[in-house]
Each structure stands twice: as structure tokens, then as C-alpha cells.
Amino acid sequence: MQLVIYGVIVLGVLGAVFGAILAFASEIFYVKVDPKQEEIRECLAGANCGGCGFPGCDGYAAAVARGEAPVNKCVAAGPEAAAKIAEIMGVSAGEVEKMVAFVPCSGTDGHASKRFNYKGPRNCQAAMLFGGKSNKDCRFACIGLGNCETACQFGAMSIVDGIAKVDREKCVGCGACVDACPKKIVKLVPYDQHVLVACSSCDKGAAVMKICDEGCIGCMKCQRECPADAIAIKDNLARIDVSKCVQCGHCSDICPRHIIKVQN
């Protein structure tokens, strides 16, 4: 019994000694954190999405506190957070154009022909390793196996009829889906730009017509009839100059392939 009591006493003394050593070490090696950094961190979304270009929310908060980063880079938290951070730092937040993800592809199941029926892991990169650039005959097409959907922390991406779709109201423009797409199809576009070309193919029209019912064929009808001279055909694909586009939707109405979309 005495051995047990002695053992307990020894363990207690050792615990107290080591505790004192750790407390002393924590004081010696303590790194002071700028109070502003903690205040800024509280304003952020906490998603660690990387949309700010820094390694997580802590990294961004530290950079802002040091004056090395703009106060309005947390796209997930939005303009309200930017205003609060600007107040903490004593600067102006400035205006930030809201961006959202967009997938320029209309090659849904039944409209885009497939090179093979992929049965492996639901991963776009795996499908590319298995069969080249795409599981579809169009080498520019969305593979549609959901890397972007998995990467999105806000539930804004989903796979519908074999291609990725974006919920513009849920999207915060963090760019995680852009980074996750192995084909780099997903783009960030201005939220206020509603007229967009839902195709990425740069193949000639005759080739496109053989493999996709809805791909751009570069017919130039939209370019000729755009009242704002905002559309040009480049590399066989219609491209919209958003700085000129008045978003009248006329190009969408006249497109024979219905690939110029008016987003809600």
C-alpha cells in the first residue's frame, strides 16, 4: 500500500515539475499576436477557401494586420466584412466587383457524344488519366465527374446531365472550383454579367457539329448582329467583351445553336 502512495506522490511531484517547466517555456517562447489580427480573423468567413490568395483565414488576417494585403479580399465574407476590416485598419474598403463561377460548356448527356463510358472513381482527373483529355469526343468539354462540386464549400456546384452547373446565388467567387478543375474549364465571371457563351470549343464548325448538338460553330451571326459590337469570333468561338456588352440578349435569341445563355 505504501508503494502505491509513494508512486502517486512521485507522479504528482513530477507532474507539477513538468507543468512548471511547460508554463515557463510558454512564457519564454510566447509569440505576441497583433490584436488587430484577432479582430480581423473574427470578421472572416472561416472557410479557409483560399479565395483571398493566402494560406487560409489566419494567413490572410495576419497579412492584413501587417498592412501587406487589401482589406477586401475575403470574397466569402463579402462587402460587410470588408467594411468592418477597413474600420479596424483605419482605411477605405473600396468597391469589389462580385465574381461567380461559370462553366462554359453545354455538352450535356445526349447532346455531346462520348468517347467511352467511364466506370471508374468519380474524379475528373482519374477519367483524364484513363482516357486522355476527356470522356467526350469534344476535347474542350466538361468531364462532369464533380471535382469542382467536391471542392466547393458553399454548395454552389452540382453535376446536372453530365456537366457542372453553378448556383450563382450560393457562389462566393472563391475560385476553389477553378483550381479543382483539371481541364481548367471553370471560369470566374462578373456576377452582373448575365449574357455568357456556354461553350469552350475552339474546333471548326464542321467538326463541332459531328460531336455536339449545342457547341459553338463560329457562324458569326452573333458578331454581325450585336448592336453593341461586343462579340467577336476568335479561334472559332464566340467571345463577349463584357466592357461593351449591354446585355440586351439579342445574341442569345438569334444563336442557332442556343449556346449563348442569359443567366438569371
Side-chain angles (χ1 to χ4, degrees):
M1 186 64 182
Q2 285 182 331
L3 290 175
V4 173
I5 295 173
Y6 288 148
V8 171
I9 292 173
V10 170
L11 288 175
V13 171
L14 289 173
V17 170
F18 285 122
I21 292 172
L22 289 173
F24 178 74
S26 67
E27 289 293 328
I28 295 297
F29 297 107
Y30 175 72
V31 178
K32 290 185 178 180
V33 177
D34 188 336
K36 287 183 179 180
Q37 179 179 332
E38 295 179 343
E39 290 182 63
I40 293 166
R41 181 64 179 81
E42 290 297 317
C43 297
L44 304 181
N48 291 311
C49 60
C52 59
F54 290 85
C57 296
D58 288 330
Y60 174 59
V64 174
R66 293 193 300 267
E68 298 174 357
V71 299
N72 55 15
K73 283 293 186 180
C74 184
V75 292
E80 291 184 3
K84 291 179 182 178
I85 297 170
E87 186 176 350
I88 293 168
M89 294 299 295
V91 298
S92 173
E95 292 187 10
V96 179
E97 184 177 33
K98 182 179 179 180
M99 305 292 282
V100 292
F102 174 64
V103 184
C105 180
S106 298
T108 54
D109 292 338
H111 290 283
S113 60
K114 290 187 176 182
R115 294 175 58 220
F116 57 87
N117 289 317
Y118 176 71
K119 299 296 183 181
R122 289 193 60 78
N123 182 284
C124 300
Q125 186 69 54
M128 288 177 67
L129 291 172
F130 178 80
K133 289 189 175 181
S134 180
N135 55 345
K136 299 170 184 175
D137 284 318
C138 177
R139 58 198 172 102
F140 302 95
C142 172
I143 295 175
L145 292 177
N147 285 38
C148 54
E149 181 180 25
T150 302
C152 181
Q153 299 184 49
F154 304 96
M157 302 292 296
S158 59
I159 305 300
V160 181
D161 295 331
I163 63 172
K165 296 288 186 181
V166 182
D167 185 328
R168 290 168 63 91
E169 299 309 314
K170 291 181 179 179
C171 180
V172 300
C174 68
C177 54
V178 177
D179 295 334
C181 177
K183 295 191 69 177
K184 303 305 175 187
I185 290 175
V186 187
K187 310 293 183 185
L188 289 180
V189 299
Y191 174 78
D192 292 331
Q193 178 64 31
H194 297 283
V195 181
L196 298 162
V197 179
C199 183
S200 297
S201 177
C202 292
D203 287 334
K204 292 183 178 180
V208 173
M209 293 179 74
K210 292 179 181 178
I211 58 177
C212 184
D213 293 342
E214 296 195 1
C216 179
I217 57 175
C219 67
M220 301 184 74
K221 189 172 184 179
C222 55
Q223 177 178 309
R224 289 193 300 268
E225 297 196 26
C226 176
D229 194 28
I231 304 179
I233 304 299
K234 183 180 179 181
D235 297 329
N236 305 307
L237 178 65
R239 302 177 191 272
I240 298 175
D241 184 339
V242 297
S243 67
K244 294 181 179 179
C245 180
V246 296
Q247 307 200 65
C248 63
H250 180 61
C251 53
S252 178
D253 294 335
I254 64 170
C255 176
R257 303 284 285 182
H258 309 294
I259 56 95
I260 303 181
K261 311 289 187 183
V262 178
Q263 306 287 313
N264 297 322

